[in-house]
Amino acid sequence: YPAAASTPDATGQLPLNYALKIQTRLKVVALLLLACPAAASEIDEHRHLPLHYALENKAEPEVVEALLQVYPAAASTPDATGQLPLNYALKIQTRLKVVALLLLACPAAASEIDEHRHLPLHYALENKAEPEVVEALLQVYPAAAST
């Protein structure tokens, strides 16, 4: 029943969001995206995209890549509080491959100051990011070191 992938529950959540909240195996995400590619661009009542949920739940880089392939604009879409996906990644996980994918999709995110007056670099440093993550952020936005 392929239409199940595009059928929301009573709260408006699509199966893709369920998968990303509970488990983030690439095979499951790929099957759901194949059945309903539009799910990658669906914003829920919290102004979350599936990418936000994937990052909140420490998705593997391949899952993040699959979501961005289907909906690249997700990298530049803030949630209800104005947080971009790059900030999610740096607050919760700081894997270089995930950060690199997000920066590739939305380089401008490296220079976005949030409501706390934090740049993504601040979140990376707060969460003890690997030097390669800090380097990636500085390559995209060198002025972050003096902001």
Side-chain angles (χ1 to χ4, degrees):
Y1 183 59
S6 60
T7 304
D9 70 4
T11 66
Q13 293 291 315
L14 290 171
L16 181 60
N17 286 351
Y18 275 92
L20 294 167
K21 289 179 186 180
I22 296 167
Q23 51 123 333
T24 55
R25 292 195 334 240
L26 177 59
K27 178 82 171 163
V28 172
V29 171
L31 288 167
L32 291 168
L33 287 171
L34 185 62
C36 183
S41 62
E42 287 293 319
I43 296 174
D44 71 7
E45 71 276 4
H46 305 290
R47 289 209 34 86
H48 280 72
L49 285 166
L51 180 61
H52 292 108
Y53 290 118
L55 296 168
E56 281 181 346
N57 291 293
K58 300 180 181 179
E60 293 297 319
E62 296 76 18
V63 169
V64 173
E65 185 173 24
L67 291 166
L68 288 170
Q69 283 177 347
V70 174
Y71 187 57
S76 61
T77 304
D79 69 4
T81 66
Q83 292 293 313
L84 290 171
L86 181 61
N87 288 350
Y88 275 71
L90 294 167
K91 289 178 183 181
I92 295 166
Q93 63 169 316
T94 55
R95 289 188 218 169
L96 177 59
K97 187 163 183 190
V98 169
V99 171
L101 288 165
L102 292 168
L103 287 171
L104 184 62
C106 182
S111 63
E112 290 291 322
I113 297 174
D114 71 9
E115 74 276 6
H116 304 293
R117 304 227 5 100
H118 282 69
L119 284 165
L121 179 62
H122 294 122
Y123 291 117
L125 296 170
E126 282 178 2
N127 291 296
K128 301 175 182 151
E130 295 295 321
E132 296 82 8
V133 170
V134 174
E135 182 180 16
L137 291 166
L138 289 172
Q139 283 179 345
V140 174
Y141 185 57
S146 61
T147 303

